[in-house]
Amino acid sequence: MKLYTYFRSSAAYRVRIALNLKGIAYDAAPVHLLRNGGEQLSDAYRAINPAMLLPALEDDGNVIGQSLAIIEYLEETQPQTPLLPSDPAGRARVRALALTVAADTHPLGNLRVLKYLTGELAVPDDVKLAWQQHWLRTGMSALEALLANDPATGRYSHGDTPTLADCCLVPQVFSAQRFGVDLAPYPTIARIHAACNELPAFQQAHPAQQPDAE
């Protein structure tokens, strides 16, 4: 199993956490998002993933893109250490929490969006940062409300074992902190983030621990 990854990619970070939680060994194939104009745009990587996005997982001759699709694939093919609850309502809640990050928040700070802002639209760097921080705070506020007001939240986002929701929450917090967003308004997120990072699966997936970390 090979994971095409970049140490600072939030989407790849999610998949690394899931692989670690499930105890699945994999080969990391770094694809640098900035070097040489972006290695994800190269013909070699385009042949692997025509979307030219990270991550991509290669397994048994299949190549799967999109982090949540990859994690769902792992859930179906290697169900040990499940990352989704057993009940339909619980699975729906966990997926909704994950999508609050992966669909509603993360894409607005994606590298290709930011490059378009500063390139074609000639947005100054300080305005770009304000854009990032606005959407990060907006997404974090929504996630905090969903977590803080639901009795299904436990030590982690759903109950007392990590789930798909936590695979998304932790990289999103990393991104928020990287761009100067204060976690004080989000105490539930901060508490869950700290609990997750006590686990080796999360620690080993951290960007600083990756072979391509700078």
Side-chain angles (χ1 to χ4, degrees):
M1 188 174 292
K2 180 185 290 187
L3 179 68
Y4 295 90
T5 181
Y6 177 61
F7 75 106
R8 220 159 41 201
S9 162
S10 294
Y13 191 174
R14 295 171 200 149
V15 176
R16 295 195 301 263
I17 293 168
L19 287 162
N20 292 347
L21 285 169
K22 286 181 170 289
I24 300 171
Y26 66 95
D27 294 323
V31 178
H32 202 290
L33 295 182
L34 300 175
R35 188 177 298 145
N36 300 320
E39 293 176 352
Q40 76 279 14
L41 305 177
S42 68
D43 290 341
Y45 186 68
R46 189 191 303 236
I48 295 163
N49 183 4
M52 296 177 287
L53 295 171
L54 291 173
L57 183 77
E58 193 174 282
D59 183 45
D60 196 25
N62 300 307
V63 177
I64 304 156
Q66 294 294 337
S67 61
L68 298 194
I70 292 170
I71 296 172
E72 293 263 9
Y73 169 80
L74 297 174
E75 188 76 353
E76 293 177 6
T77 59
Q78 305 209 39
Q80 73 275 15
T81 315
L83 300 178
L84 288 167
S86 59
D87 63 297
R91 290 198 297 275
R93 178 176 185 263
V94 166
R95 287 182 172 118
L97 292 168
L99 287 166
T100 298
V101 172
D104 294 344
T105 309
H106 170 252
L108 291 163
N110 189 277
L111 178 62
R112 63 180 180 173
V113 172
L114 301 178
K115 287 179 72 173
Y116 184 80
L117 288 175
T118 56
E120 282 81 347
L121 300 184
V123 168
D125 285 342
D126 60 333
V127 177
K128 180 187 74 169
L129 179 60
W131 163 283
Q132 290 175 278
Q133 292 175 336
H134 169 77
W135 292 114
L136 284 164
R137 291 189 185 105
T138 299
M140 299 279 277
S141 295
L143 187 61
E144 175 70 20
L146 290 167
L147 291 167
N149 298 328
D150 196 320
T153 302
R155 178 170 175 80
Y156 303 104
S157 295
H158 188 83
D160 295 327
T161 56
T163 64
L164 170 63
D166 302 298
C167 294
C168 293
L169 179 149
V170 167
Q172 192 63 24
V173 171
F174 172 81
S175 182
Q177 291 177 316
R178 181 181 166 213
F179 293 109
V181 174
D182 184 7
L183 293 186
Y186 320 111
T188 312
I189 292 175
R191 176 185 62 75
I192 293 170
H193 177 258
C196 288
N197 280 321
E198 292 176 3
L199 302 177
F202 287 85
Q203 296 168 1
Q204 293 160 10
H206 191 279
Q209 301 303 314
Q210 303 316 300
D212 57 327
E214 296 173 350

